[in-house]
Short mmCIF file of all heavy atoms in Angstrom, two decimals:
data_model
loop_
_atom_site.label_atom_id
_atom_site.label_comp_id
_atom_site.label_asym_id
_atom_site.label_seq_id
_atom_site.Cartn_x
_atom_site.Cartn_y
_atom_site.Cartn_z
N MET A 111 4.76 -0.18 -4.20
CA MET A 111 3.57 -0.76 -3.69
C MET A 111 2.99 0.04 -2.51
O MET A 111 1.83 0.06 -2.27
CB MET A 111 3.87 -2.21 -3.26
CG MET A 111 2.60 -3.01 -3.12
SD MET A 111 1.75 -3.14 -4.68
CE MET A 111 1.02 -4.70 -4.51
N GLY A 112 3.89 0.81 -1.83
CA GLY A 112 3.43 1.58 -0.68
C GLY A 112 2.45 2.70 -1.09
O GLY A 112 1.55 3.03 -0.33
N ALA A 113 2.72 3.31 -2.28
CA ALA A 113 1.85 4.44 -2.69
C ALA A 113 0.43 3.89 -3.04
O ALA A 113 -0.54 4.57 -2.68
CB ALA A 113 2.45 5.10 -3.95
N LEU A 114 0.37 2.71 -3.61
CA LEU A 114 -0.94 2.13 -3.89
C LEU A 114 -1.75 1.87 -2.63
O LEU A 114 -2.93 2.10 -2.57
CB LEU A 114 -0.79 0.87 -4.73
CG LEU A 114 -2.03 0.14 -5.16
CD1 LEU A 114 -2.92 1.05 -5.99
CD2 LEU A 114 -1.73 -1.10 -5.89
N LYS A 115 -1.03 1.33 -1.63
CA LYS A 115 -1.74 1.08 -0.34
C LYS A 115 -2.23 2.36 0.28
O LYS A 115 -3.30 2.38 0.86
CB LYS A 115 -0.81 0.34 0.62
CG LYS A 115 -0.63 -1.14 0.26
CD LYS A 115 0.12 -1.84 1.33
CE LYS A 115 0.06 -3.34 1.05
NZ LYS A 115 0.47 -4.08 2.25
N GLY A 116 -1.42 3.40 0.22
CA GLY A 116 -1.86 4.70 0.73
C GLY A 116 -3.05 5.26 0.00
O GLY A 116 -3.99 5.74 0.60
N ILE A 117 -3.08 5.12 -1.32
CA ILE A 117 -4.22 5.58 -2.10
C ILE A 117 -5.44 4.80 -1.74
O ILE A 117 -6.58 5.35 -1.59
CB ILE A 117 -3.90 5.52 -3.63
CG1 ILE A 117 -2.85 6.54 -3.96
CG2 ILE A 117 -5.16 5.69 -4.46
CD1 ILE A 117 -2.29 6.41 -5.35
N MET A 118 -5.31 3.44 -1.59
CA MET A 118 -6.45 2.63 -1.25
C MET A 118 -6.97 2.97 0.14
O MET A 118 -8.20 3.00 0.37
CB MET A 118 -6.03 1.13 -1.23
CG MET A 118 -5.94 0.54 -2.59
SD MET A 118 -5.33 -1.19 -2.68
CE MET A 118 -6.24 -1.98 -1.39
N ALA A 119 -6.06 3.25 1.06
CA ALA A 119 -6.51 3.64 2.41
C ALA A 119 -7.26 4.94 2.43
O ALA A 119 -8.33 5.04 3.05
CB ALA A 119 -5.30 3.70 3.38
N VAL A 120 -6.74 5.92 1.71
CA VAL A 120 -7.44 7.22 1.66
C VAL A 120 -8.81 7.10 0.93
O VAL A 120 -9.81 7.64 1.44
CB VAL A 120 -6.56 8.26 0.93
CG1 VAL A 120 -7.32 9.53 0.67
CG2 VAL A 120 -5.33 8.58 1.83
N ALA A 121 -8.85 6.37 -0.13
CA ALA A 121 -10.09 6.16 -0.88
C ALA A 121 -11.11 5.44 0.03
O ALA A 121 -12.30 5.74 0.04
CB ALA A 121 -9.87 5.42 -2.16
N GLY A 122 -10.63 4.44 0.77
CA GLY A 122 -11.50 3.73 1.65
C GLY A 122 -12.08 4.59 2.76
O GLY A 122 -13.27 4.45 3.10
N ILE A 123 -11.24 5.40 3.34
CA ILE A 123 -11.74 6.29 4.40
C ILE A 123 -12.72 7.26 3.89
O ILE A 123 -13.80 7.56 4.55
CB ILE A 123 -10.53 7.01 5.08
CG1 ILE A 123 -9.71 6.02 5.87
CG2 ILE A 123 -10.95 8.16 5.99
CD1 ILE A 123 -8.35 6.50 6.38
N VAL A 124 -12.47 7.85 2.68
CA VAL A 124 -13.39 8.79 2.08
C VAL A 124 -14.73 8.07 1.80
O VAL A 124 -15.83 8.62 2.06
CB VAL A 124 -12.79 9.42 0.82
CG1 VAL A 124 -13.87 10.18 0.00
CG2 VAL A 124 -11.67 10.32 1.16
N ALA A 125 -14.68 6.86 1.28
CA ALA A 125 -15.91 6.14 0.99
C ALA A 125 -16.69 5.80 2.27
O ALA A 125 -17.91 5.90 2.29
CB ALA A 125 -15.60 4.79 0.26
N MET A 126 -15.99 5.46 3.34
CA MET A 126 -16.67 5.22 4.62
C MET A 126 -17.34 6.47 5.13
O MET A 126 -18.45 6.44 5.63
CB MET A 126 -15.66 4.69 5.63
CG MET A 126 -15.23 3.25 5.35
SD MET A 126 -14.00 2.48 6.42
CE MET A 126 -13.88 3.43 7.80
N MET A 127 -16.67 7.63 5.01
CA MET A 127 -17.27 8.89 5.49
C MET A 127 -18.49 9.23 4.63
O MET A 127 -19.55 9.63 5.16
CB MET A 127 -16.23 10.01 5.47
CG MET A 127 -15.18 9.79 6.49
SD MET A 127 -13.75 10.93 6.47
CE MET A 127 -14.35 12.42 5.78
N MET A 128 -18.35 9.11 3.31
CA MET A 128 -19.52 9.43 2.44
C MET A 128 -20.64 8.46 2.68
O MET A 128 -21.79 8.92 2.72
CB MET A 128 -19.06 9.34 0.97
CG MET A 128 -18.19 10.47 0.55
SD MET A 128 -17.60 10.30 -1.19
CE MET A 128 -19.05 9.95 -2.08
N GLY A 129 -20.35 7.19 2.80
CA GLY A 129 -21.42 6.21 3.03
C GLY A 129 -22.17 6.49 4.33
O GLY A 129 -23.36 6.36 4.47
N THR A 130 -21.40 6.86 5.37
CA THR A 130 -22.04 7.18 6.65
C THR A 130 -22.90 8.43 6.53
O THR A 130 -24.06 8.49 7.04
CB THR A 130 -20.93 7.42 7.74
OG1 THR A 130 -20.15 6.25 7.82
CG2 THR A 130 -21.57 7.68 9.08
N LEU A 131 -22.45 9.42 5.80
CA LEU A 131 -23.25 10.59 5.58
C LEU A 131 -24.54 10.24 4.82
O LEU A 131 -25.66 10.69 5.21
CB LEU A 131 -22.49 11.66 4.81
CG LEU A 131 -23.29 12.95 4.44
CD1 LEU A 131 -23.74 13.70 5.64
CD2 LEU A 131 -22.46 13.81 3.51
N PHE A 132 -24.46 9.41 3.75
CA PHE A 132 -25.63 9.04 2.98
C PHE A 132 -26.60 8.26 3.88
O PHE A 132 -27.82 8.44 3.81
CB PHE A 132 -25.24 8.19 1.81
CG PHE A 132 -24.43 8.87 0.75
CD1 PHE A 132 -23.84 8.19 -0.25
CD2 PHE A 132 -24.21 10.26 0.77
CE1 PHE A 132 -23.08 8.84 -1.24
CE2 PHE A 132 -23.45 10.91 -0.16
CZ PHE A 132 -22.89 10.17 -1.21
N LEU A 133 -26.06 7.39 4.70
CA LEU A 133 -26.91 6.53 5.56
C LEU A 133 -27.64 7.45 6.59
O LEU A 133 -28.85 7.30 6.75
CB LEU A 133 -26.03 5.55 6.33
CG LEU A 133 -26.73 4.54 7.21
CD1 LEU A 133 -25.99 3.20 7.10
CD2 LEU A 133 -26.72 4.97 8.65
N LEU A 134 -26.97 8.38 7.17
CA LEU A 134 -27.61 9.27 8.13
C LEU A 134 -28.59 10.20 7.52
O LEU A 134 -29.62 10.56 8.11
CB LEU A 134 -26.52 10.06 8.93
CG LEU A 134 -25.64 9.19 9.85
CD1 LEU A 134 -24.50 10.04 10.45
CD2 LEU A 134 -26.43 8.50 10.89
N GLN A 135 -28.33 10.63 6.27
CA GLN A 135 -29.30 11.45 5.57
C GLN A 135 -30.55 10.62 5.24
O GLN A 135 -31.63 11.13 5.33
CB GLN A 135 -28.71 12.03 4.28
CG GLN A 135 -27.81 13.19 4.51
CD GLN A 135 -27.27 13.81 3.20
OE1 GLN A 135 -27.08 13.10 2.21
NE2 GLN A 135 -27.10 15.08 3.22
N GLY A 136 -30.35 9.40 4.82
CA GLY A 136 -31.47 8.56 4.52
C GLY A 136 -32.37 8.24 5.75
O GLY A 136 -33.59 8.20 5.64
N LEU A 137 -31.76 8.20 6.88
CA LEU A 137 -32.51 8.02 8.17
C LEU A 137 -33.14 9.35 8.62
O LEU A 137 -33.98 9.34 9.51
CB LEU A 137 -31.59 7.48 9.28
CG LEU A 137 -31.12 6.03 9.10
CD1 LEU A 137 -30.11 5.70 10.19
CD2 LEU A 137 -32.31 5.10 9.21
N GLY A 138 -32.70 10.47 8.07
CA GLY A 138 -33.26 11.75 8.48
C GLY A 138 -32.58 12.36 9.70
O GLY A 138 -33.10 13.32 10.25
N ILE A 139 -31.48 11.77 10.08
CA ILE A 139 -30.71 12.24 11.25
C ILE A 139 -29.94 13.48 10.84
O ILE A 139 -29.92 14.49 11.59
CB ILE A 139 -29.82 11.17 11.82
CG1 ILE A 139 -30.68 10.02 12.36
CG2 ILE A 139 -28.86 11.73 12.86
CD1 ILE A 139 -29.87 8.79 12.80
N VAL A 140 -29.26 13.42 9.70
CA VAL A 140 -28.51 14.57 9.21
C VAL A 140 -29.41 15.19 8.12
O VAL A 140 -29.72 14.59 7.12
CB VAL A 140 -27.13 14.13 8.61
CG1 VAL A 140 -26.47 15.33 7.95
CG2 VAL A 140 -26.30 13.56 9.74
N ARG A 141 -29.72 16.48 8.30
CA ARG A 141 -30.56 17.19 7.33
C ARG A 141 -29.75 18.31 6.71
O ARG A 141 -30.15 19.45 6.65
CB ARG A 141 -31.78 17.74 8.05
CG ARG A 141 -32.66 16.67 8.60
CD ARG A 141 -34.00 17.22 9.03
NE ARG A 141 -34.99 16.21 9.24
CZ ARG A 141 -35.73 15.64 8.30
NH1 ARG A 141 -35.57 16.05 7.06
NH2 ARG A 141 -36.57 14.68 8.58
N TRP A 142 -28.56 17.93 6.20
CA TRP A 142 -27.72 18.89 5.55
C TRP A 142 -27.31 18.32 4.19
O TRP A 142 -26.87 17.17 4.15
CB TRP A 142 -26.46 19.11 6.38
CG TRP A 142 -25.49 19.97 5.68
CD1 TRP A 142 -25.48 21.34 5.58
CD2 TRP A 142 -24.36 19.54 4.90
NE1 TRP A 142 -24.42 21.78 4.81
CE2 TRP A 142 -23.74 20.68 4.38
CE3 TRP A 142 -23.81 18.30 4.59
CZ2 TRP A 142 -22.61 20.61 3.58
CZ3 TRP A 142 -22.70 18.24 3.78
CH2 TRP A 142 -22.11 19.39 3.29
N PRO A 143 -27.44 19.06 3.16
CA PRO A 143 -28.16 20.28 2.99
C PRO A 143 -29.68 20.02 3.13
O PRO A 143 -30.16 18.97 2.79
CB PRO A 143 -27.81 20.79 1.64
CG PRO A 143 -27.32 19.58 0.88
CD PRO A 143 -26.76 18.62 1.89
N SER A 144 -30.36 21.02 3.57
CA SER A 144 -31.76 20.84 3.91
C SER A 144 -32.64 20.54 2.67
O SER A 144 -33.72 19.89 2.85
CB SER A 144 -32.30 22.07 4.60
OG SER A 144 -32.23 23.21 3.75
N ASP A 145 -32.23 20.92 1.51
CA ASP A 145 -33.00 20.68 0.30
C ASP A 145 -32.56 19.42 -0.41
O ASP A 145 -32.93 19.21 -1.58
CB ASP A 145 -33.02 21.86 -0.62
CG ASP A 145 -31.62 22.25 -1.06
OD1 ASP A 145 -30.63 21.77 -0.48
OD2 ASP A 145 -31.54 23.01 -2.02
N SER A 146 -31.73 18.56 0.23
CA SER A 146 -31.22 17.38 -0.50
C SER A 146 -32.31 16.39 -0.71
O SER A 146 -33.19 16.13 0.14
CB SER A 146 -30.14 16.74 0.42
OG SER A 146 -29.69 15.52 -0.17
N PHE A 147 -32.26 15.75 -1.91
CA PHE A 147 -33.26 14.71 -2.22
C PHE A 147 -33.04 13.42 -1.40
O PHE A 147 -33.88 12.55 -1.43
CB PHE A 147 -33.20 14.39 -3.72
CG PHE A 147 -31.86 13.83 -4.17
CD1 PHE A 147 -31.61 12.49 -4.18
CD2 PHE A 147 -30.83 14.72 -4.53
CE1 PHE A 147 -30.42 11.97 -4.59
CE2 PHE A 147 -29.58 14.18 -4.96
CZ PHE A 147 -29.37 12.84 -4.98
N MET A 148 -31.92 13.33 -0.71
CA MET A 148 -31.58 12.11 0.02
C MET A 148 -32.15 12.11 1.42
O MET A 148 -32.28 11.06 2.01
CB MET A 148 -30.03 11.95 0.09
CG MET A 148 -29.44 11.71 -1.22
SD MET A 148 -27.62 11.88 -1.35
CE MET A 148 -27.07 11.11 0.12
N VAL A 149 -32.53 13.27 1.97
CA VAL A 149 -33.02 13.38 3.32
C VAL A 149 -34.37 12.65 3.45
O VAL A 149 -35.34 12.98 2.75
CB VAL A 149 -33.15 14.84 3.76
CG1 VAL A 149 -33.78 14.97 5.11
CG2 VAL A 149 -31.81 15.53 3.78
N GLY A 150 -34.35 11.69 4.30
CA GLY A 150 -35.57 10.95 4.59
C GLY A 150 -35.91 9.84 3.59
O GLY A 150 -36.93 9.18 3.72
N ASP A 151 -35.11 9.65 2.60
CA ASP A 151 -35.32 8.58 1.60
C ASP A 151 -34.64 7.34 2.06
O ASP A 151 -33.41 7.25 2.11
CB ASP A 151 -34.77 9.03 0.22
CG ASP A 151 -35.11 8.05 -0.89
OD1 ASP A 151 -35.63 6.94 -0.58
OD2 ASP A 151 -34.82 8.38 -2.03
N ARG A 152 -35.40 6.26 2.43
CA ARG A 152 -34.87 5.04 3.01
C ARG A 152 -33.96 4.27 2.03
O ARG A 152 -33.16 3.43 2.49
CB ARG A 152 -36.02 4.15 3.47
CG ARG A 152 -36.81 4.74 4.60
CD ARG A 152 -36.01 4.76 5.84
NE ARG A 152 -36.78 5.39 6.91
CZ ARG A 152 -36.43 5.36 8.15
NH1 ARG A 152 -35.32 4.81 8.54
NH2 ARG A 152 -37.19 5.93 9.06
N ASN A 153 -34.04 4.50 0.74
CA ASN A 153 -33.13 3.86 -0.17
C ASN A 153 -31.63 4.18 0.11
O ASN A 153 -30.79 3.35 -0.05
CB ASN A 153 -33.45 4.19 -1.62
CG ASN A 153 -34.76 3.61 -2.05
OD1 ASN A 153 -35.13 2.51 -1.65
ND2 ASN A 153 -35.49 4.29 -2.93
N TRP A 154 -31.48 5.44 0.57
CA TRP A 154 -30.09 5.89 0.82
C TRP A 154 -29.48 5.28 2.08
O TRP A 154 -28.30 5.27 2.25
CB TRP A 154 -30.06 7.40 0.88
CG TRP A 154 -30.17 7.99 -0.50
CD1 TRP A 154 -31.28 8.45 -1.08
CD2 TRP A 154 -29.17 8.01 -1.48
NE1 TRP A 154 -31.02 8.83 -2.41
CE2 TRP A 154 -29.75 8.54 -2.69
CE3 TRP A 154 -27.80 7.61 -1.54
CZ2 TRP A 154 -28.98 8.70 -3.85
CZ3 TRP A 154 -27.09 7.78 -2.70
CH2 TRP A 154 -27.68 8.32 -3.83
N VAL A 155 -30.33 4.68 2.91
CA VAL A 155 -29.78 3.90 4.06
C VAL A 155 -28.98 2.73 3.52
O VAL A 155 -27.83 2.49 3.94
CB VAL A 155 -30.90 3.49 5.02
CG1 VAL A 155 -30.37 2.63 6.14
CG2 VAL A 155 -31.61 4.69 5.58
N LEU A 156 -29.59 2.00 2.59
CA LEU A 156 -28.93 0.79 2.03
C LEU A 156 -27.75 1.20 1.17
O LEU A 156 -26.66 0.62 1.32
CB LEU A 156 -29.92 0.01 1.20
CG LEU A 156 -29.36 -1.21 0.49
CD1 LEU A 156 -28.85 -2.24 1.47
CD2 LEU A 156 -30.40 -1.86 -0.42
N TYR A 157 -27.90 2.24 0.35
CA TYR A 157 -26.78 2.69 -0.47
C TYR A 157 -25.60 3.13 0.37
O TYR A 157 -24.45 2.81 0.06
CB TYR A 157 -27.20 3.85 -1.44
CG TYR A 157 -28.38 3.54 -2.33
CD1 TYR A 157 -29.21 4.56 -2.78
CD2 TYR A 157 -28.63 2.22 -2.75
CE1 TYR A 157 -30.24 4.26 -3.64
CE2 TYR A 157 -29.67 1.94 -3.61
CZ TYR A 157 -30.49 2.97 -4.06
OH TYR A 157 -31.55 2.72 -4.89
N GLY A 158 -25.88 3.90 1.39
CA GLY A 158 -24.81 4.42 2.29
C GLY A 158 -24.12 3.28 3.01
O GLY A 158 -22.91 3.27 3.16
N ALA A 159 -24.88 2.29 3.45
CA ALA A 159 -24.27 1.14 4.15
C ALA A 159 -23.38 0.38 3.21
O ALA A 159 -22.27 -0.05 3.64
CB ALA A 159 -25.38 0.23 4.74
N MET A 160 -23.81 0.15 1.97
CA MET A 160 -22.99 -0.56 1.00
C MET A 160 -21.65 0.22 0.67
O MET A 160 -20.62 -0.37 0.54
CB MET A 160 -23.76 -0.82 -0.25
CG MET A 160 -24.84 -1.87 -0.04
SD MET A 160 -25.64 -2.48 -1.56
CE MET A 160 -26.19 -0.96 -2.35
N ILE A 161 -21.80 1.53 0.54
CA ILE A 161 -20.62 2.35 0.22
C ILE A 161 -19.64 2.32 1.36
O ILE A 161 -18.43 2.16 1.22
CB ILE A 161 -21.02 3.78 -0.15
CG1 ILE A 161 -21.77 3.76 -1.50
CG2 ILE A 161 -19.81 4.71 -0.22
CD1 ILE A 161 -22.42 5.08 -1.82
N ALA A 162 -20.16 2.45 2.61
CA ALA A 162 -19.28 2.42 3.78
C ALA A 162 -18.65 1.09 3.96
O ALA A 162 -17.46 1.00 4.29
CB ALA A 162 -20.11 2.78 5.04
N LEU A 163 -19.35 0.02 3.68
CA LEU A 163 -18.81 -1.31 3.75
C LEU A 163 -17.65 -1.53 2.70
O LEU A 163 -16.60 -2.08 3.01
CB LEU A 163 -19.86 -2.40 3.54
CG LEU A 163 -19.40 -3.88 3.64
CD1 LEU A 163 -18.92 -4.19 5.04
CD2 LEU A 163 -20.56 -4.79 3.24
N ALA A 164 -17.93 -1.07 1.51
CA ALA A 164 -16.88 -1.14 0.46
C ALA A 164 -15.60 -0.37 0.88
O ALA A 164 -14.49 -0.81 0.64
CB ALA A 164 -17.40 -0.59 -0.85
N GLY A 165 -15.84 0.80 1.54
CA GLY A 165 -14.70 1.57 1.98
C GLY A 165 -13.90 0.81 3.06
O GLY A 165 -12.68 0.85 3.12
N GLY A 166 -14.63 0.14 3.96
CA GLY A 166 -14.00 -0.68 4.98
C GLY A 166 -13.18 -1.80 4.36
O GLY A 166 -12.11 -2.11 4.89
N VAL A 167 -13.71 -2.41 3.32
CA VAL A 167 -12.94 -3.46 2.61
C VAL A 167 -11.64 -2.89 2.02
O VAL A 167 -10.60 -3.51 2.12
CB VAL A 167 -13.83 -4.16 1.55
CG1 VAL A 167 -12.99 -5.03 0.63
CG2 VAL A 167 -14.93 -4.90 2.22
N LEU A 168 -11.73 -1.73 1.40
CA LEU A 168 -10.55 -1.09 0.86
C LEU A 168 -9.50 -0.84 1.95
O LEU A 168 -8.29 -1.11 1.75
CB LEU A 168 -10.88 0.23 0.17
CG LEU A 168 -11.38 0.17 -1.25
CD1 LEU A 168 -11.77 1.54 -1.75
CD2 LEU A 168 -10.26 -0.36 -2.13
N VAL A 169 -9.93 -0.30 3.06
CA VAL A 169 -9.00 -0.01 4.14
C VAL A 169 -8.40 -1.30 4.68
O VAL A 169 -7.17 -1.36 4.94
CB VAL A 169 -9.71 0.77 5.28
CG1 VAL A 169 -8.82 0.85 6.48
CG2 VAL A 169 -10.11 2.17 4.78
N SER A 170 -9.13 -2.37 4.79
CA SER A 170 -8.63 -3.62 5.31
C SER A 170 -7.60 -4.18 4.33
O SER A 170 -6.59 -4.72 4.73
CB SER A 170 -9.76 -4.56 5.62
OG SER A 170 -10.33 -5.08 4.43
N PHE A 171 -7.88 -4.11 3.02
CA PHE A 171 -6.89 -4.57 2.03
C PHE A 171 -5.61 -3.68 2.06
O PHE A 171 -4.49 -4.26 1.88
CB PHE A 171 -7.43 -4.59 0.63
CG PHE A 171 -8.27 -5.81 0.32
CD1 PHE A 171 -9.57 -5.68 -0.17
CD2 PHE A 171 -7.74 -7.09 0.50
CE1 PHE A 171 -10.30 -6.82 -0.45
CE2 PHE A 171 -8.49 -8.21 0.22
CZ PHE A 171 -9.77 -8.08 -0.26
N ALA A 172 -5.75 -2.45 2.29
CA ALA A 172 -4.60 -1.53 2.35
C ALA A 172 -3.71 -1.87 3.57
O ALA A 172 -2.49 -1.66 3.52
CB ALA A 172 -5.03 -0.10 2.36
N ASN A 173 -4.31 -2.38 4.64
CA ASN A 173 -3.55 -2.66 5.85
C ASN A 173 -3.06 -4.08 5.96
O ASN A 173 -2.44 -4.47 6.99
CB ASN A 173 -4.41 -2.31 7.05
CG ASN A 173 -4.56 -0.85 7.23
OD1 ASN A 173 -3.68 -0.06 6.91
ND2 ASN A 173 -5.76 -0.39 7.70
N ARG A 174 -3.31 -4.91 4.93
CA ARG A 174 -2.85 -6.31 5.01
C ARG A 174 -1.35 -6.35 4.84
O ARG A 174 -0.74 -5.62 4.07
CB ARG A 174 -3.47 -7.10 3.89
CG ARG A 174 -4.89 -7.36 4.09
CD ARG A 174 -5.51 -8.23 3.02
NE ARG A 174 -4.96 -9.59 3.15
CZ ARG A 174 -5.14 -10.52 2.25
NH1 ARG A 174 -5.76 -10.30 1.18
NH2 ARG A 174 -4.63 -11.71 2.45
N LYS A 175 -0.72 -7.32 5.53
CA LYS A 175 0.69 -7.53 5.39
C LYS A 175 0.92 -8.47 4.18
O LYS A 175 0.10 -9.35 3.90
CB LYS A 175 1.22 -8.27 6.64
CG LYS A 175 0.95 -7.46 7.91
CD LYS A 175 1.85 -6.33 7.98
CE LYS A 175 1.68 -5.61 9.34
NZ LYS A 175 1.65 -4.21 9.30
N PRO A 176 2.02 -8.29 3.48
CA PRO A 176 2.30 -9.19 2.32
C PRO A 176 2.56 -10.59 2.79
O PRO A 176 3.17 -10.85 3.80
CB PRO A 176 3.52 -8.55 1.64
CG PRO A 176 4.14 -7.67 2.70
CD PRO A 176 3.02 -7.25 3.65
N ASP A 177 2.09 -11.55 1.98
CA ASP A 177 2.37 -12.98 2.28
C ASP A 177 3.80 -13.32 1.88
O ASP A 177 4.27 -12.98 0.83
CB ASP A 177 1.38 -13.88 1.48
CG ASP A 177 -0.04 -13.74 1.99
OD1 ASP A 177 -0.22 -13.35 3.15
OD2 ASP A 177 -0.96 -13.95 1.18
N ARG A 178 4.51 -14.01 2.77
CA ARG A 178 5.88 -14.40 2.47
C ARG A 178 6.10 -15.78 2.92
O ARG A 178 5.69 -16.34 3.81
CB ARG A 178 6.84 -13.50 3.11
CG ARG A 178 6.83 -12.11 2.50
CD ARG A 178 7.91 -11.24 2.97
NE ARG A 178 7.66 -9.93 2.37
CZ ARG A 178 8.63 -9.13 2.10
NH1 ARG A 178 9.84 -9.39 2.37
NH2 ARG A 178 8.41 -7.99 1.55
#
């Protein structure tokens, strides 16, 4: 069970980082890569926030203690 929790934690952290990048690109704060279709598109603010939130949920489930 420990390996599954580790995988969930890593996947959650990656999702949080990607979601944050998408959110910042949608806001126009991060303009990398400069020719990205996501830069300045407000739809990506919502998409990025949802992905980051889902990653946070994964990390929180990975860090839960087992019920006994």
Side-chain angles (χ1 to χ4, degrees):
M111 198 63 150
L114 180 60
K115 284 188 171 196
I117 291 169
M118 283 176 47
V120 169
I123 291 169
V124 169
M126 287 176 16
M127 290 173 28
M128 287 175 50
T130 302
L131 176 64
F132 294 171
L133 186 141
L134 293 174
Q135 282 183 327
L137 290 173
I139 295 172
V140 174
R141 297 191 165 275
W142 174 82
S144 61
D145 60 345
S146 175
F147 61 92
M148 294 165 44
V149 173
D151 186 353
R152 295 291 179 168
N153 290 327
W154 286 100
V155 174
L156 178 62
Y157 302 153
M160 290 189 307
I161 292 169
L163 181 65
V167 169
L168 274 176
V169 170
S170 69
F171 277 126
N173 289 326
R174 288 184 69 190
K175 303 287 185 221
D177 293 335
R178 290 188 185 209

